[in-house]
Amino acid sequence: MLGLYIHVPFCSAICNYCNFNRGLFDAALKERYVEALIAEIRGAGGAGNGLQGVGNAPADTIFFGGGTPSLLEPAEIRRIIETCEDSFAVAGAREVTLEANPESVTEQRLAAYRSAGVNRLSFGVQSFRDDELKRLTRLHGAARARAAFHEARNAGFDNISFDLMMWLPAQGLAEWLESIDAAIALGPEHLSLYLLEVYPNAPLKDDMARSRWSQAPDEDAAAMYLAAMERLDAAGYMQYEISNVARPGRSSRHNLKYWSDGDWIGFGCGAHSTRDGIRWKNVAGIEDYVDRIGRGHPVATDLRRLPAAERLGDALFMMLRLTDGVNLDEIRRRYGVDVWQVYGPDLEPFVQNGCLMRDCDRLRLTRRGMLLANEVMSVFV
Ligand code: SF4
């Protein structure tokens, strides 16, 4: 089944490390953007963008990502979900995720999202330490993140995820584990742990130089990752992907489509799509996107059918992120390729050094291998 991704590119302020496709919130532009989104989804339902067979295709996940999707009004989220339902065969047992920033919600607003059809929340918590949040120029503090979680529970959400970031400026192992422990104490169903990447032109880079904040050495970053995973294991979370853990049965069904060679369609500026080996992405600019939709011009660019070898390489690359790893029989069935025959000589050294495990029908990274995942995965691309 398809996953439907809806990009909401607005934020109340731009964080100093952010490299996502987003812009400052503007109420008038947001209204035009929502109308454009609805038109694009309807168009896809009518096989828009020149894609045949998309209309009324079965889908079972909807994911509002951003930016800050919780800046959309619950009524707007409802309209978008209803448009998805009109345009696709959205399964009854669907997962509908809304990314939310703690400062942008109240219990009442969360309850309204829930009645609009959202059944999973992903909070951009990033840290439970106020000093770290300040360094990242986030608008919320740790107390607001905790309050948002309780408000979500009171509003009836039983599927909540936190994003946490590690390797922050001036963060050591002890500070990082404070955030992990604070998250465990609250008990969300899911956690995503991201490594901060400081991009060359990010304002954070200047802030770090000015304030003499530095990131811990690489070995410490590895220790931070391993220590967090051990604590989460002990707390009953199951790691199912390099950066993601969940309570049993609470993995992100939407994100699993990216990691298990699934199909998804993205709506909104900069959104990417992959279906039946065809890949495309929408124009990135908010104004450009709204303008094109208004004129009835296509927003999809770079539409191309992936060559078989690239499709296979991408599938293996993504599947290896999962703790379940690559199902070699499945790959043989789908692609007619014996992975070990093609890549075996390049993969064998990683098996020898304990990064990769091969049992009869699976190829998977060990936890140590997850630290060196990029090196292992480079075999496939
Ligand atoms: S809230 Fe997220 S998307 Fe928005 S500026 Fe901050 S990091 Fe970027």
Side-chain angles (χ1 to χ4, degrees), residues 283-363:
V283 292
I286 306 174
E287 287 279 7
D288 187 17
Y289 169 81
V290 171
D291 189 58
R292 285 189 194 217
I293 296 270
R295 290 166 191 268
H297 293 169
V299 289
T301 60
D302 298 344
L303 190 138
R304 67 190 187 104
R305 181 173 288 283
L306 299 179
E310 187 178 341
R311 204 175 160 186
L312 169 67
D314 284 3
L316 294 170
F317 183 96
M318 295 305 277
M319 283 175 166
L320 208 54
R321 296 189 61 92
L322 297 169
T323 50
D324 272 354
V326 177
N327 182 331
L328 300 172
D329 283 343
E330 173 87 24
I331 292 289
R332 199 174 296 115
R333 255 197 316 277
R334 264 192 198 201
Y335 293 95
V337 167
D338 181 329
V339 172
W340 204 253
Q341 210 168 47
V342 178
Y343 299 102
D346 293 324
L347 293 173
E348 191 59 46
F350 293 110
V351 176
Q352 294 305 323
N353 71 10
C355 286
L356 204 55
M357 275 188 319
R358 185 190 170 198
D359 49 44
C360 36
D361 71 332
R362 296 264 168 189
L363 189 64

Side-chain angles (χ1 to χ4, degrees), residues 21-79:
N21 184 23
R22 70 326 181 232
L24 270 182
F25 181 78
D26 167 328
L29 181 57
K30 182 214 49 174
E31 280 181 23
R32 290 168 55 219
Y33 185 81
V34 169
E35 295 310 319
L37 267 178
I38 285 172
E40 191 198 359
I41 299 166
R42 286 215 180 101
N49 285 338
L51 294 162
Q52 298 308 309
V54 173
N56 218 32
D60 64 348
T61 65
I62 301 175
F63 192 105
F64 290 89
T68 309
S70 50
L71 291 177
L72 292 196
E73 293 304 315
E76 293 169 323
I77 295 289
R78 180 190 294 273
R79 277 184 70 208

Side-chain angles (χ1 to χ4, degrees), residues 65 122 149 151 217 236 240 260 357 367:
S122 174
F149 176 79
E151 288 161 4
Y240 69 101
S260 54
M357 275 188 319
R367 194 164 270 173

Side-chain angles (χ1 to χ4, degrees), residues 76-112:
E76 293 169 323
I77 295 289
R78 180 190 294 273
R79 277 184 70 208
I80 295 168
I81 294 173
E82 284 172 356
T83 309
C84 290
E85 289 167 344
D86 290 345
S87 307
F88 295 87
V90 183
R94 70 202 53 185
E95 176 191 88
V96 183
T97 304
L98 182 84
E99 286 186 341
N101 280 352
E103 76 281 356
S104 66
V105 298
T106 59
E107 188 172 322
Q108 198 184 16
R109 197 171 171 88
L110 289 166

Side-chain angles (χ1 to χ4, degrees), residues 153-194:
R153 284 287 194 241
N154 291 342
F157 283 96
D158 62 1
N159 200 0
I160 300 176
S161 179
F162 290 164
D163 284 354
L164 290 179
M165 283 170 63
M166 59 170 267
W167 214 25
L168 301 180
Q171 182 190 57
L173 178 66
E175 291 81 20
W176 164 237
L177 290 179
E178 240 182 72
S179 284
I180 292 292
D181 288 344
I184 290 172
L186 289 171
E189 283 65 36
H190 186 282
L191 280 155
S192 300
L193 313 181
Y194 296 109

